[in-house]
Amino acid sequence: EAVVASQTEAICYEATQLGTATFHSSFAPEEALIVVDELQRSRQTGIILADDLHLVYLLTPLFNLPFVSDWMTYLRIFTSLPDIRQLIGTRIGISPSYLQRRGQGGSKKIPGKSEAESIRVERFTLRFYVSLALSELIHENSIWNVSRRYQFPRGDLQTLMQSSSSFARMMVSFCQHMEWHSLAVLLSDYVKRLGFGVKPEIIPLVEVRGVRAARARALYSAGYRSVRSLANARPEDIVRAIPKLGTFGLHTAKMIISSARKLLEDKAGELRREAEEMLNEGREEII
């Protein structure tokens, strides 16, 4: 909001809903315009929920993505996708003929299309390829295998997971302030999955310090399904559950248990503070 004074009157400028969403999500204005255009297109044509690829695509950052090093590899991967994933790609706008033309050395500029439209096609085509890699990572496929399949350096994939998680938070905030609440709920489930590269059932475990994806999966398979179950575990049981803890296995197990207890205490403290705030607000309304 801004006020501009003149000799005759004061003019008050108020942010539009899009402006408010842009501000609170921390998107740059040009990013927000791309995001709102894409989300409106998706809401009109329909988001395919039979596979999580469509949502992952929406949460793939707009810029600073790894480059496609081999467009024919992209074409081969796309044409070998399950039907539902090819349908998602087609809904987004992916064209096998475009991939083939780029694989044969064609330029970014599409014959008969404007420069702006060619840039838009290039952007969503690259984002879709990156979203395929991200989708494999959040299904706990090895980063080594994903790197080899999509020809992205492992370091780039690790950076991409973190940037996608941050972008997802921004997208959720943007949707909330645009009052697209159902979409915000759908997208919010992927914030932590993208950051950790895991399936949803082990998210509580990877939030414990010292427990990454592989350890979390081993613990989950051994019956540890919650932070509380870790907090109540015995060190020797944790060592048996995670066979590759190494020489300092018992020490690491104790650290995991301690971290789980600390996490529970922190969450309990947050709940107490929220309860106190609600009680205080209730008292103020009564008064």
Side-chain angles (χ1 to χ4, degrees):
E1 183 177 299
V3 176
V4 178
S6 70
Q7 292 180 346
T8 57
E9 62 180 347
I11 303 174
C12 179
Y13 292 93
E14 294 184 358
T16 63
Q17 187 175 33
L18 175 57
T20 301
T22 301
F23 174 78
H24 285 282
S25 64
S26 299
F27 280 130
E30 59 272 19
E31 288 179 310
L33 291 174
I34 294 172
V35 166
V36 75
D37 176 67
E38 190 161 74
L39 290 178
Q40 286 176 335
R41 287 172 186 261
S42 297
R43 293 173 78 239
Q44 289 169 0
T45 59
I47 298 173
I48 298 174
L49 301 178
D51 188 291
D52 61 16
L53 177 61
H54 205 159
L55 292 176
V56 172
Y57 167 79
L58 292 175
L59 297 175
T60 301
L62 299 172
F63 305 111
N64 300 319
L65 297 175
F67 293 103
V68 176
S69 60
D70 186 344
W71 286 91
M72 294 309 290
T73 295
Y74 188 165
L75 177 62
R76 186 172 62 255
I77 289 174
F78 181 76
T79 54
S80 65
L81 291 173
D83 290 345
I84 186 63
R85 292 201 151 198
Q86 288 195 39
L87 176 61
I88 292 168
T90 302
R91 182 75 57 87
I92 289 167
I94 305 303
S95 166
S97 62
Y98 175 84
L99 301 179
Q100 185 168 15
R101 187 178 68 82
R102 293 300 305 275
Q104 293 171 346
S107 67
K108 297 179 182 179
K109 180 68 171 67
I110 303 173
K113 299 289 185 180
S114 67
E115 188 70 27
E117 178 62 13
S118 296
I119 290 172
R120 191 183 76 84
V121 171
E122 171 82 4
R123 183 175 59 247
F124 71 63
T125 303
L126 174 56
R127 284 182 73 208
F128 182 75
Y129 190 60
V130 172
S131 71
L132 286 171
L134 282 171
S135 179
E136 291 203 23
L137 290 171
I138 66 170
H139 282 90
E140 300 177 32
N141 290 330
S142 163
I143 194 169
W144 294 82
N145 292 336
V146 175
S147 172
R148 189 162 47 247
R149 176 173 169 80
Y150 293 92
Q151 300 180 12
F152 291 148
R154 292 189 303 278
D156 286 357
L157 288 174
Q158 291 169 336
T159 301
L160 177 64
M161 289 168 65
Q162 297 308 312
S163 63
S164 297
S165 180
S166 298
F167 187 80
R169 288 190 181 90
M170 296 164 71
M171 285 285 281
V172 170
S173 176
F174 186 86
C175 290
Q176 288 171 339
H177 286 90
M178 289 296 291
E179 298 184 0
W180 297 339
H181 299 299
S182 297
L183 183 55
V185 171
L186 285 173
L187 297 179
S188 65
D189 290 341
Y190 290 84
V191 174
K192 291 179 180 178
R193 288 189 66 191
L194 287 166
F196 292 118
V198 296
K199 295 179 181 178
E201 66 269 19
I202 65 171
I203 285 177
L205 300 181
V206 292
E207 291 183 316
V208 176
R209 188 168 65 90
V211 180
R212 293 188 177 181
R215 288 180 179 179
R217 179 53 63 190
L219 288 166
Y220 188 88
S221 298
Y224 296 96
R225 306 297 170 87
S226 66
V227 178
R228 184 177 297 279
S229 64
L230 282 182
N232 294 329
R234 297 183 304 173
E236 53 270 28
D237 292 335
I238 297 294
V239 171
R240 279 194 290 270
I242 309 176
K244 295 183 179 180
L245 280 182
T247 307
F248 301 100
L250 199 60
H251 172 78
T252 303
K254 290 178 180 178
M255 189 255 315
I256 289 172
I257 293 169
S258 176
S259 297
R261 291 172 179 171
K262 177 68 166 54
L263 183 58
L264 283 180
E265 291 171 1
D266 291 344
K267 290 187 175 182
E270 289 176 9
L271 290 174
R272 282 193 294 269
R273 285 192 294 273
E274 289 176 4
E276 289 172 0
E277 289 175 4
M278 292 177 64
L279 288 172
N280 290 335
E281 289 174 2
R283 292 192 190 101
E284 290 174 0
E285 291 176 1
I286 294 172
I287 294 172

